[in-house]
Amino acid sequence: MRATDIAAKAADLVGGDREQQHGKKSDNFGRIATVWNAWLAVRRDPSAPLDAHDVGILMVLMKVARTQSGTFNLDDYVDMAGYAACSGEVAQESA
């Protein structure tokens, strides 16, 4: 697949089904920013660089935020569980 084909497919997704699933982009991204900022403020060392565990938690929170806009999408809940499980594994490795 060529770069132009990939870009065209992305354009179809962000203007079609994904917009209906996740709601208005600015609302969705705003909700994600709100929960990410909360995590960054309450984590054990807010001044530390992000690590692999933080990324896993942030991905869970992205999915949590997505449940509050657009239409119901079961994949959000499946993805939350998957990211939470991966985050637990990463946390356990570094403990």
Side-chain angles (χ1 to χ4, degrees):
M1 188 178 280
R2 299 182 59 156
T4 54
D5 298 325
I6 294 168
K9 183 173 177 93
D12 287 343
L13 288 172
V14 299
D17 290 346
R18 300 283 165 91
E19 188 165 5
Q20 188 170 9
Q21 276 182 349
H22 303 306
K24 188 176 171 187
K25 292 170 192 68
S26 58
D27 292 342
N28 182 23
F29 288 0
R31 284 184 178 89
I32 293 168
T34 298
V35 296
W36 282 10
N37 281 318
W39 173 255
L40 294 173
V42 301
R43 64 194 187 115
R44 290 188 181 161
D45 183 357
S47 64
L50 294 174
D51 62 18
H53 179 254
D54 289 314
V55 170
I57 296 298
L58 291 169
M59 296 304 290
V60 169
L61 292 172
M62 178 185 71
K63 293 301 185 168
V64 168
R66 282 189 170 174
T67 67
Q68 300 305 302
S69 60
T71 58
F72 172 76
N73 182 9
L74 183 60
D75 286 345
D76 289 333
Y77 297 88
V78 172
D79 290 348
M80 268 188 257
Y83 285 126
C86 291
S87 296
E89 184 177 322
V90 168
Q92 185 175 9
E93 289 172 359
S94 62

